[in-house]
Amino acid sequence: MFKGGMGNIMKQAQQMQERMQKAQDDLAKIEVTGEAGAGMVKVTMTCNHNVRRVDIDESLMDDDKDMVEGYVEFKKLAKRRWVM
């Protein structure tokens, strides 16, 4: 009886692992977009934290370089914040 019970537990664990992998694969296909600076900077990421796109409004390119770099830093902070 113990062997049958243990085998059943192992089978259930494997099924759960397969479902978790499928969920992770599904999340990798979903994209979300965050905005900063009233939409002047947009970062699109997948739900597994891969940055797909960074859009910076053209008007920011005329401004101070440090400001533009600060907006780009948003991408790094967003990724770190949601990974933890």
Side-chain angles (χ1 to χ4, degrees), residues 52-82:
R52 291 286 177 104
R53 194 168 36 257
V54 177
D55 296 316
I56 301 173
D57 191 278
E58 290 291 326
S59 66
L60 291 177
M61 296 305 175
D62 296 334
D63 289 340
D64 185 25
K65 184 181 178 204
D66 291 334
M67 187 172 112
V68 174
E69 290 173 348
Y71 281 124
V72 173
E73 185 68 19
F74 166 79
K75 150 186 99 80
K76 295 177 188 173
L77 293 174
K79 184 174 181 178
R80 266 188 256 135
R81 182 174 185 176
W82 293 110

Side-chain angles (χ1 to χ4, degrees), residues 9-71:
I9 290 172
M10 295 300 288
K11 185 176 180 180
Q12 288 176 355
Q14 183 178 6
Q15 289 172 344
M16 182 178 287
Q17 189 175 24
E18 290 168 0
R19 285 194 300 266
M20 287 294 294
Q21 184 61 51
K22 183 182 179 328
Q24 289 174 344
D25 293 343
D26 291 344
L27 285 173
K29 297 174 187 171
I30 298 172
E31 290 187 355
V32 293
T33 301
E35 298 182 6
M40 297 179 87
V41 175
K42 297 177 185 175
V43 177
T44 302
M45 299 175 67
T46 62
C47 289
N48 65 349
H49 309 288
N50 289 325
V51 176
R52 291 286 177 104
R53 194 168 36 257
V54 177
D55 296 316
I56 301 173
D57 191 278
E58 290 291 326
S59 66
L60 291 177
M61 296 305 175
D62 296 334
D63 289 340
D64 185 25
K65 184 181 178 204
D66 291 334
M67 187 172 112
V68 174
E69 290 173 348
Y71 281 124

